[in-house]
Amino acid sequence: MKNVNYKLYLVTDRDVIGNRSFLECIEEALKGGVSILQLREKKISSLEFYDLALDAKKLTEKYDVPLIINDRVDIALAIDADGVHVGQEDLPVKVVRKIIGDAKILGVSVTNLEEAKRAIEDGADYLGVGAVFPTVTKKDANFTGIELLREIREKYSIPVVAIGGINEGNIEKLNGLCDGAAIISGILGQKDIKKAAEKINSKLIWIK
Amino acid sequence: MKNVNYKLYLVTDRDVIGNRSFLECIEEALKGGVSILQLREKKISSLEFYDLALDAKKLTEKYDVPLIINDRVDIALAIDADGVHVGQEDLPVKVVRKIIGDAKILGVSVTNLEEAKRAIEDGADYLGVGAVFPTVTKKDANFTGIELLREIREKYSIPVVAIGGINEGNIEKLNGLCDGAAIISGILGQKDIKKAAEKINSKLIWIK
Ligand code: NI
C-alpha cells in the first residue's frame, strides 16, 4: 500500500489520552477523518506493543487507513503493519529499508536539510518535519519552524508531513507547505476527539 | 549456526559493568572462555543498541562464539546476529520464529513446565530456565530453583541454560542438570572478568 493519504496523520501518545480507553480514542479519531495512524509506544513491553498493534490494525483495516509503527521494526513485521517511522535515534534508514522491503511505507523524522537529503537517499517514502510549532508533547523535539518545510519543498518532491504543536489555531500557517499534518494532543488531548479531528481536517484545504 | 555450545553463556548488564568500558569487559569475558554472548539492553535508543550490537558482533566473530540479541528482533535482523532470546513479555515465540526464519537461534526464558512446553512447540532452540538461585541482578525474576531444571530434563531433550544467581560458590549444584550456565554479575560484576569466567568455566565439568 504505497498510495498513501498523509493529510491527517495521527500519532498516538498514551500520556495525552490519560485514563480513557486507548482503542476507543483511536476509533473516535478515525471517525473524525484521520487518514493515517502511527503507533508510538516507548514504555511498554514488546508483548504489550504487539497486542496493542494487533488491536490497532483491526481498526485501521476497518477504516481503510495505513498503520505505521514508530521505531520498532520488529513489531511492524510481527503484525504486518503498512509501514515504519524512524527518527534519527532509531535504526538507520538504509538498514530498515533492507529489513522491511520495498512494499512497506518508510517515514523518517528530520530536523534539517542534511537529514532530509540523507533520508531520501537512503530510501524514505515520506519525511516527518518539525517541530514546526512549539510543542509540549515531545519535550526533546527540535524546533525547526515552518521555514524547513519551505526549504524541503523547494529542493525535493518527497511527501512531507509537518509535526509539532499543530492545532486548529495555527494550522492555516502550513497552507501549501506540506502533504499532511501530524497531530498528537491537538486530537487525542481533546475532550471530543472526533470533533477535534473533523475541525482540523476541514482546515487542511490545500490537501486533497 | 545451530551447533551451539551453551556452556558458559554471558548475558550483558550495563549496571554491573559500571563505568568500565563495555566492549573491553565483554572481550575479557570472551578471553576467559565465554561460549555464547547475549546482548541485553533495555534503556538505550535503537540506534545505540544497533551500534553496540555491531561492535559486539566484531568481538564474537573474533572469538567465534554466537551473538544473541535479547528481545529486539529488529536489532538482530539489522546486524544479522546469530539469534534472538525472548522472555514471556516479549514477542510471541511463534511470531519471532516466523520473522527470523529457521537458521537463527531462538532462545526462550521459561519459569515453569507449561511455558517450557509451549516454547518448545512454538519453535524454541533452547530454554533459559531460572532464576535457579536467588538473584539481585534481575529484580523481577521469578525464582524457580533447580527443581525445574530436573523436571524439564526428565520430560524434554531441548538444550537448557540455567540462569539466576549462579556463581563460583553454587555452580556445582547444577551438575548434570543443564547444558549451560548463564552468568551476569558472576562474570561482569567481578574485578578480574577473565579470571572469573575461567573459574566458572572450569567448574562446568559435566558440559563438554
Ligand atoms: Ni525504543
Side-chain angles (χ1 to χ4, degrees), chain B residues 71-174:
Chain B
D71 182 13
R72 292 293 300 267
V73 179
D74 47 0
I75 304 288
L77 294 176
I79 67 142
D80 192 23
D82 299 290
V84 173
H85 187 94
V86 292
Q88 301 292 322
E89 297 302 315
D90 299 333
L91 283 172
V93 178
K94 257 189 202 169
V95 174
V96 175
R97 177 55 84 200
K98 206 175 154 193
I99 297 176
I100 66 175
D102 281 332
K104 289 200 193 295
I105 304 158
L106 176 47
V108 181
S109 293
V110 303
T111 59
N112 57 55
L113 273 181
E114 189 50 49
E115 289 173 359
K117 181 169 180 280
R118 203 173 52 238
I120 294 167
E121 286 170 359
D122 290 352
D125 288 311
Y126 74 90
L127 302 180
V129 176
V132 291
F133 302 121
T135 167
V136 288
T137 326
K138 207 178 159 187
K139 280 151 198 148
D140 55 344
N142 291 297
F143 181 73
T144 64
I146 62 170
E147 195 44 45
L148 183 59
L149 292 176
R150 216 183 299 271
E151 290 169 359
I152 291 175
R153 264 284 196 263
E154 271 170 26
K155 287 203 133 170
Y156 307 108
S157 60
I158 191 168
V160 166
V161 177
I163 188 165
I166 302 170
N167 57 46
E168 250 193 88
N170 59 26
I171 199 161
E172 281 158 0
K173 293 181 189 163
L174 301 175

Side-chain angles (χ1 to χ4, degrees), chain A residues 4-19:
Chain A
V4 184
N5 180 359
Y6 295 102
K7 186 175 182 180
L8 189 55
Y9 188 125
L10 182 67
V11 180
T12 65
D13 185 325
R14 217 154 263 275
D15 294 339
V16 304
I17 286 176
N19 47 24

Side-chain angles (χ1 to χ4, degrees), chain A residues 42 71, chain B residues 46 72:
Chain A
K42 292 294 182 189
D71 182 12
Chain B
S46 295
R72 292 293 300 267

Side-chain angles (χ1 to χ4, degrees), chain A residues 42 45-48 50 71-75 77-79 88-92 95 99, chain B residues 45-48 50-51 71-75 77-79 88-92 95 99:
Chain A
K42 292 294 182 189
S45 73
S46 295
L47 182 59
E48 286 170 305
Y50 171 76
D71 182 12
R72 292 293 301 269
V73 179
D74 47 359
I75 304 289
L77 293 176
I79 68 142
Q88 301 292 322
E89 298 300 318
D90 298 334
L91 283 171
V95 173
I99 297 175
Chain B
S45 73
S46 295
L47 182 58
E48 287 172 304
Y50 171 76
D51 285 336
D71 182 13
R72 292 293 300 267
V73 179
D74 47 0
I75 304 288
L77 294 176
I79 67 142
Q88 301 292 322
E89 297 302 315
D90 299 333
L91 283 172
V95 174
I99 297 176

